Amino acid sequence: MNFKALLTAAALLLPATISQADKFPSGPVEIVIAAGAGAGQDIMVRAIAAELEKKWAEPTVVLNKTGGNQTIADGYVAKAKPDGHTILNFGPNRSLLAAKNDPNAGYDVVNGLVPVTQVNKQPMVIVTRNSLGVSNLAEFVELAKSAEDPMIYGDNGPGGILDLSARRLMVDGGFELTEVSYQSANDVLRALMGDEVDVAIVTLGVATSYIKNNMITALAVASAERNAAFPDIPTARESIDTDFAVEHWFGFFVPKGTPDEIINQLHSDIVEVLGTESVKNLLLNGGFEIVGNSPAEFAKVVADEVENWKALMD
Amino acid sequence: MFRFNQDNAAGALFGLFGTVIIVLSQQYPLGTMRQMKAGYVPTVLGAMLIVIAVVLVIRGFSSTSEPMGRWALRPWLLVPSSILAFSLLVQTGGLVLAGVACMLLAAASGLEFRWREQIILATLVTGSAAMLFIKALGLPMTFFPAI
Amino acid sequence: MELFDNLILGFSVAGSPMNILLCLVGVMVGTLIGVLPGIGPVGALAMLLPVTFYLTPTGALIMLAGIYYGAQYGGSTTAILVNMPGESSSVVTCLDGHQMARKGRAGSALAIAALGSFFAGTVSTLLIAVAAVPLSRVALSFGSPEYFSLMLLGLVGAVVLASGSIVKAIGMIVLGVCLGLVGTDVSTGVQRFTFGSPTLMEGIDFVTLALGIMGVTEIILNLARREATTEVISKIESLWPSREEAKASVGPVVRGTLIGSVLGLLPGGGGVLASYASYTMEKKLARDPRRFGNGAVEGLAGPESANNAGAQTSFIPMLTLGIPSNAVMALLVGAMMIQGIAPGPDVMLEQPELFWGIIASMWIGNAMLLVINLPLIGLWVSLLKVPYRLLCPCIALICAVGAYSVNYSITDLWFVAGFAFLGYIFKKVGCEAAPLVLGFILGPGLEENLRRSMVVGRGDPMIFLNRPISLALLTLTAVLILFVVLPHFRQSREVVFQDD
């Protein structure tokens, strides 16, 4: 055995060891969400996780870390090793505002976490109960401004997107509403149909079949343009003098400090999974538009969102 | 002579819980009847517990109150300890060690305890349970300590 | 007639070999999950969701639905045998079911539970077939005040659950409600009683509480009893119910089915209440209510039927309106969406094979469960014959693993140990666990709906009385309170007279 042979053998083996280390993921992956089992986000993430597991051949589990208004889920991922094996799936809620509140918290989506890709987006719609008797947003705003006792809006928990959207509308439209919380968007719709709350801003997917069956009244869509499925519903901007536009989305984040190659690989793997039959079906049926943008593009979306919601912080 | 019977002991217990709850609830805003905040209902409930405690303690002074009876100390202390033993060992020691510890402690609280029989039982049952849960069902637990 | 055609369609869909197989797999997995404490149908369904990708929509839903009501059957088994409620709806089964087992009537108890559940399943399936749409309207007419009144009725009824001191039962209920409040407050987002612990922020888990204060405490109690006396546990009698038991069960089963069918329709809490409501009704209707809590067969037959009926009818809001009644239904909604079906009021019309196929398979599933469970009774009963010194460590292990498997959290296990320790203390001072557990289950919903009703009603408490359903429920509550309190006074008056 001479020295040269040894060196050659080592040189030949080296690429093999390097590519082994490069293989991502190299162990079980955890995807963390702040919703409980059975929630819309939970089902969506489980479908994605199942496809990822098939692709990666590594166990990919979904961890439900509810409570603390998202802070537990965020904190868990922010503090995890930045090797891409712990991922957060996040949708806009109060912790978007946390960045401005407490820049040192380190667990929020601006400071402690790095965006990977945006999964989907979905327009929201402003709906009221039929018995309220208003047929467009302008009438509603009039009613709201002149009401002696503020009218009631429903949401699925303080700080969630339903709540934030409604608060934004209150600020933009110049009127007051009283908040009432339920466990889920479905419960809010049930409350609308039961005449218990007056108005709510929910995702279009959840409300579609009820609007079509005339069980609730859609006043306006909350996005910047009209929706293709409901061309007759005006946008909020058309109805009243406002630049109100909100959207619901979900995206993946990893802890700060995760290497770029891993982020990029995560991005392409997730985008690939978003194209599979089961995930596509689920998302489209839920009323979502699939996005799958790049980390840089997503980072811009997040920054825009933080700006968008700034009005609520003051 | 003062003696603890079922009624005044129950009263003491409820009184303790009620007080703790009321004290803990004070850190949360109470709100009003129209807009009840986080502390409202717990405070009311704590007060109810104290009322019940008082009623029970008073009843405890009457002669119809039943005595508490013998406390079975060994089961009372050892059975919860068996669960605790499991909890301390399951992540560091694996399912088998944790399970055996749990079963032995639980068995130790009984009247008859024969070492050989219990160890055989513990090993067999824990072994099969481990097979079922980890191999068949794929639950994330380890057999033995991760060395 | 149309119903007939629909049923034929349904059975032809459900009867396909693939769907039959999926139904069988579903109910067997469900039974296993129900028997093993810890993981429940929600966890199992969440884990199995990816499997549904490879199935047809109807097949997927048949299997998942089978898991759900299979778990109900399984949960009753452990409730009867070892006082461990697998599901919140099985807590009531522990009360008299386990007492029957301790008297040697385990076989009879298991048989009655299975038969009653099957009857309830058949009737409620028929109900769904006939009246799904009008029944779904009921689901919509329940607002926050109605839920509050219903839950209040349930809590007052919980006092009836206790066979001992009423004051102590009330205390346990109140304490249970307080335990239920631990965690994040829905309305304001405040963390209550969590001491900064992330585990507690999600609230105390039902499994943790039930395993601790009922399952493990029962182990302590059994050991304590054996220390006290050397008597051998009563010989196990025949596996089948006696004629008297069977006759006594008929009324409760029918009434339980009706109560369960109605309550199951109410999203968010209806199904759980079914068994409690049935128990309360049976105890109040019985000629000799003191038998309850000691192995009265009515206290088992009624709630078991109500349970199963509720589980079946809870599908109605989901199938007819697309509104899930609980987390399990939400997962089924997800499964539908993955398959490309948008749940909602249109499903019944646009996908009749799916709708009627599921309904038909529910009946098939119930029949399968009966056929599977009845022979198993012999197996379970012979397990009970094992000497306790060998059985007890096994039960302890199952409790430990079960509790751990919910969240893989060590703190959960500490809670189980703590509740078990506390449970024995409570038993020694004459307080019972069942009212506490019921308070724990209903409490948060009670508070949530109370606060919501007050906001919606602008601070006017009359909202509870102004609405007909709520008023009716509150009146029932008042009547129930009278029923509970009056005999108490009459009794003490009798005692007084005796002293003279």
Side-chain angles (χ1 to χ4, degrees):
Chain A
M1 179 74 96
N2 57 41
F3 198 48
K4 229 168 54 168
L6 206 54
L7 264 181
T8 322
L12 285 172
L13 281 173
L14 208 52
T17 51
I18 290 181
S19 54
Q20 267 297 83
D22 275 346
K23 173 179 172 300
F24 173 81
S26 53
V29 175
E30 293 179 329
I31 305 186
V32 183
I33 60 174
Q41 185 187 14
D42 178 67
I43 297 174
M44 172 189 86
V45 172
R46 281 180 194 277
I48 296 178
E51 292 290 341
L52 282 173
E53 185 167 307
K54 266 199 309 202
K55 181 173 163 51
W56 287 336
E58 292 280 355
T60 310
V61 292
V62 175
L63 289 186
N64 301 88
K65 298 223 170 269
T66 58
N69 281 317
Q70 185 91 31
T71 56
I72 301 197
D74 294 354
Y76 182 86
V77 176
K79 295 192 188 110
K81 242 170 61 159
D83 60 2
H85 287 76
T86 313
I87 313 173
L88 175 73
N89 184 275
F90 171 91
N93 67 26
R94 194 152 58 187
S95 56
L96 268 182
L97 311 175
K100 192 155 186 289
N101 252 347
D102 183 8
N104 296 321
Y107 59 71
D108 61 86
V109 293
V110 175
N111 295 321
L113 297 163
V114 169
V116 173
T117 184
Q118 182 179 354
V119 174
N120 51 22
K121 58 183 183 180
Q122 173 164 185
M124 317 263 299
V125 61
I126 306 174
V127 287
T128 60
R129 55 182 170 93
N130 289 341
S131 44
L132 196 58
V134 296
S135 51
N136 62 53
L137 189 56
E139 280 178 28
F140 176 79
V141 174
E142 273 310 304
L143 197 58
K145 283 185 179 165
S146 60
E148 221 177 78
D149 250 332
M151 293 205 285
I152 299 178
Y153 76 90
D155 64 31
N156 58 354
I161 183 80
L162 276 67
D163 180 31
L164 291 182
S165 309
R167 285 180 196 276
R168 184 66 198 282
L169 190 64
M170 290 198 287
V171 166
D172 283 357
F175 54 86
E176 281 285 311
L177 293 173
T178 306
E179 174 192 7
V180 168
S181 300
Y182 293 81
Q183 294 278 357
S184 71
N186 270 310
D187 289 335
V188 173
L189 287 176
R190 221 166 17 97
L192 266 177
M193 292 192 275
D195 288 350
E196 191 161 286
V197 302
D198 299 308
V199 65
I201 305 184
V202 295
T203 54
L204 194 53
V206 155
T208 299
S209 57
Y210 304 106
I211 298 177
K212 286 209 170 114
N213 282 288
N214 289 320
M215 295 166 96
I216 53 179
T217 308
L219 294 182
V221 287
S223 37
E225 292 109 32
R226 293 199 179 200
N227 189 272
F230 290 95
D232 297 328
I233 306 181
T235 66
R237 291 181 177 178
E238 288 171 29
S239 313
I240 57 177
D241 178 26
T242 175
D243 60 350
F244 175 80
V246 298
E247 210 169 51
H248 190 28
W249 50 266
F250 283 113
F252 284 104
F253 293 79
V254 286
K256 216 179 186 89
T258 309
D260 280 334
E261 317 89 62
I262 295 194
I263 295 185
N264 285 327
Q265 189 183 337
L266 267 176
H267 164 242
S268 57
D269 287 345
I270 292 176
V271 169
E272 194 181 310
V273 158
L274 288 181
T276 60
E277 183 90 22
S278 59
V279 174
K280 245 180 30 184
N281 266 338
L282 181 62
L283 291 177
L284 292 176
N285 269 306
F288 286 102
E289 186 188 313
I290 302 183
V291 177
N293 52 17
S294 76
E297 290 166 348
F298 187 29
K300 174 143 191 334
V301 169
V302 174
D304 284 345
E305 281 283 279
V306 175
E307 265 308 303
N308 202 11
W309 294 107
K310 230 158 66 163
L312 285 185
M313 275 323 299
D314 313 307
Chain B
M1 184 205 110
F2 178 78
R3 187 157 260 182
F4 262 126
N5 53 42
Q6 284 193 14
D7 287 342
N8 53 30
L13 203 52
F14 283 126
L16 179 64
F17 279 121
T19 319
V20 166
I21 289 172
I22 293 189
V23 165
L24 285 177
S25 306
Q26 297 319 301
Q27 60 183 289
Y28 311 115
L30 284 185
T32 62
M33 206 165 83
R34 172 166 168 163
Q35 286 263 5
M36 296 185 200
K37 296 242 158 91
Y40 196 96
V41 171
T43 309
V44 170
L45 293 176
M48 284 174 74
L49 280 177
I50 298 199
V51 167
I52 289 175
V54 167
V55 168
L56 285 172
V57 167
I58 294 179
R59 206 208 279 182
F61 286 119
S62 87
S63 55
T64 55
S65 238
E66 289 174 42
M68 283 196 288
R70 219 184 114 265
W71 282 70
L73 280 179
R74 228 162 57 158
W76 182 42
L77 293 173
L78 282 180
V79 173
S81 310
S82 78
I83 308 280
L84 280 177
F86 185 90
S87 74
L88 292 171
L89 286 173
V90 70
Q91 281 182 352
T92 49
L95 182 57
V96 174
L97 282 181
V100 168
C102 168
M103 289 182 70
L104 288 178
L105 268 175
S109 41
L111 280 174
E112 314 161 36
F113 184 85
R114 300 174 204 151
W115 272 106
R116 210 164 57 138
E117 168 185 82
Q118 292 296 343
I119 293 196
I120 295 179
L121 178 73
T123 331
L124 273 176
V125 173
T126 316
S128 347
M131 279 288 143
L132 172 66
F133 289 116
I134 302 181
K135 278 275 182 262
L137 295 178
L139 299 182
M141 294 187 264
T142 58
F143 279 94
F144 286 109
I147 297 173
Chain C
M1 97 200 183
E2 209 189 295
L3 173 66
F4 205 58
D5 294 330
N6 286 327
L7 282 178
I8 301 240
L9 171 66
F11 274 102
S12 66
V13 170
S16 80
M18 185 60 181
N19 287 337
I20 293 259
L21 181 65
L22 287 171
C23 189
L24 186 63
V25 168
V27 298
M28 288 190 71
V29 170
T31 310
L32 185 65
I33 290 172
V35 167
L36 291 174
I39 206 158
V42 176
L45 282 176
M47 285 203 300
L48 287 174
L49 208 55
V51 173
T52 63
F53 300 168
Y54 306 106
L55 306 169
T56 65
T58 315
L61 286 175
I62 286 181
M63 184 182 82
L64 294 178
I67 296 179
Y68 175 54
Y69 49 82
Q72 300 283 335
Y73 275 76
S76 313
T77 310
T78 41
I80 291 173
L81 292 177
V82 283
N83 206 50
M84 267 198 300
E87 283 287 298
S88 44
S89 37
S90 320
V91 173
V92 174
T93 311
C94 293
L95 290 177
D96 278 87
H98 184 60
Q99 293 305 315
M100 279 179 77
R102 288 192 51 225
K103 294 204 160 87
R105 308 292 307 144
S108 167
L110 289 168
I112 292 180
L115 290 166
S117 297
F118 178 69
F119 176 84
T122 310
V123 170
S124 52
T125 308
L126 260 173
L127 256 173
I128 298 178
V130 167
V133 173
L135 283 177
S136 65
R137 297 288 167 217
V138 174
L140 285 181
S141 57
F142 257 70
S144 300
E146 282 77 21
Y147 274 103
F148 169 77
S149 305
L150 181 65
M151 290 180 173
L152 187 65
L153 180 61
L155 278 183
V156 169
V159 174
V160 172
L161 286 185
S163 10
S165 150
I166 292 184
V167 177
K168 288 179 190 168
I170 298 179
M172 289 302 267
I173 296 174
V174 172
L175 193 56
V177 173
C178 292
L179 282 175
L181 295 181
V182 171
T184 311
D185 174 27
V186 166
S187 313
T188 58
V190 167
Q191 303 296 322
R192 287 193 290 195
F193 311 123
T194 58
F195 306 109
S197 147
T199 323
L200 281 182
M201 285 201 211
E202 307 174 28
I204 297 179
D205 205 79
F206 165 77
V207 172
T208 311
L209 177 68
L211 275 182
I213 212 169
M214 292 182 79
V216 181
T217 303
E218 184 65 21
I219 302 180
I220 302 178
L221 289 171
N222 271 322
L223 290 167
R225 278 181 215 122
R226 280 166 170 79
E227 267 185 32
T229 73
T230 46
E231 77 173 59
V232 175
I233 269 302
S234 40
K235 185 175 82 73
I236 297 202
E237 296 159 34
S238 83
L239 293 180
W240 213 245
S242 69
R243 182 164 294 184
E244 302 82 47
E245 283 173 338
K247 241 174 48 169
S249 306
V250 171
V253 164
V254 171
R255 287 188 286 269
T257 305
L258 281 169
I259 294 183
S261 301
V262 171
L263 285 176
L265 290 171
L266 306 174
V272 168
L273 278 173
S275 48
Y276 296 107
S278 170
Y279 191 86
T280 310
M281 175 180 266
E282 294 310 319
K283 191 166 178 184
K284 283 301 149 197
L285 285 177
R287 229 159 291 163
D288 186 13
R290 262 165 299 176
R291 284 179 303 122
F292 279 70
N294 285 317
V297 74
E298 297 90 330
L300 171 70
E304 271 300 301
S305 310
N307 230 343
N308 209 39
Q312 311 278 189
T313 53
S314 62
F315 278 83
I316 290 187
M318 195 272 284
L319 287 176
T320 56
L321 295 173
I323 296 179
S325 317
N326 51 44
V328 171
M329 294 299 141
L331 283 164
L332 290 179
V333 165
M336 281 171 93
M337 295 210 291
I338 290 179
Q339 295 284 348
I341 303 175
D346 306 318
V347 167
M348 222 175 126
L349 296 166
E350 290 173 16
Q351 305 259 354
E353 324 81 47
L354 178 74
F355 185 82
W356 294 104
I358 294 178
I359 292 181
S361 86
M362 278 195 219
W363 187 82
I364 297 180
N366 269 287
M368 280 186 192
L369 282 165
L370 191 68
V371 167
I372 294 174
N373 278 296
L374 282 182
L376 279 180
I377 293 181
L379 175 69
W380 298 126
V381 167
S382 52
L383 265 184
L384 281 184
K385 291 204 190 116
V386 172
Y388 201 69
R389 68 172 192 282
L390 298 177
L391 199 55
C392 139
C394 300
I395 302 179
L397 179 68
I398 297 181
C399 285
V401 175
Y404 184 61
S405 70
V406 177
N407 276 320
Y408 303 105
S409 140
I410 298 190
T411 29
D412 277 353
L413 287 169
W414 294 349
F415 272 104
V416 171
F419 282 126
F421 187 77
L422 207 55
Y424 184 68
I425 300 180
F426 277 126
K427 247 334 210 297
K428 289 313 271 180
V429 296
C431 296
E432 291 165 51
L436 180 127
V437 176
L438 181 52
F440 172 81
I441 295 173
L442 289 182
L446 188 79
E447 190 208 16
E448 200 184 305
N449 282 299
L450 173 66
R451 287 160 79 170
R452 263 210 293 270
S453 304
M454 291 307 272
V455 174
V456 168
R458 321 275 179 191
D460 181 12
M462 292 303 288
I463 189 174
F464 297 110
L465 300 174
N466 284 332
R467 299 160 64 118
I469 301 182
S470 173
L471 178 63
L473 289 168
L474 285 177
T475 318
L476 258 173
T477 311
V479 167
L480 195 59
I481 296 181
L482 282 175
F483 262 140
V484 165
V485 166
L486 278 183
H488 199 63
F489 278 129
R490 215 183 308 133
Q491 256 178 19
S492 47
R493 256 184 285 146
E494 279 172 16
V495 170
V496 167
F497 285 133
Q498 273 170 11
D499 281 348
D500 284 342

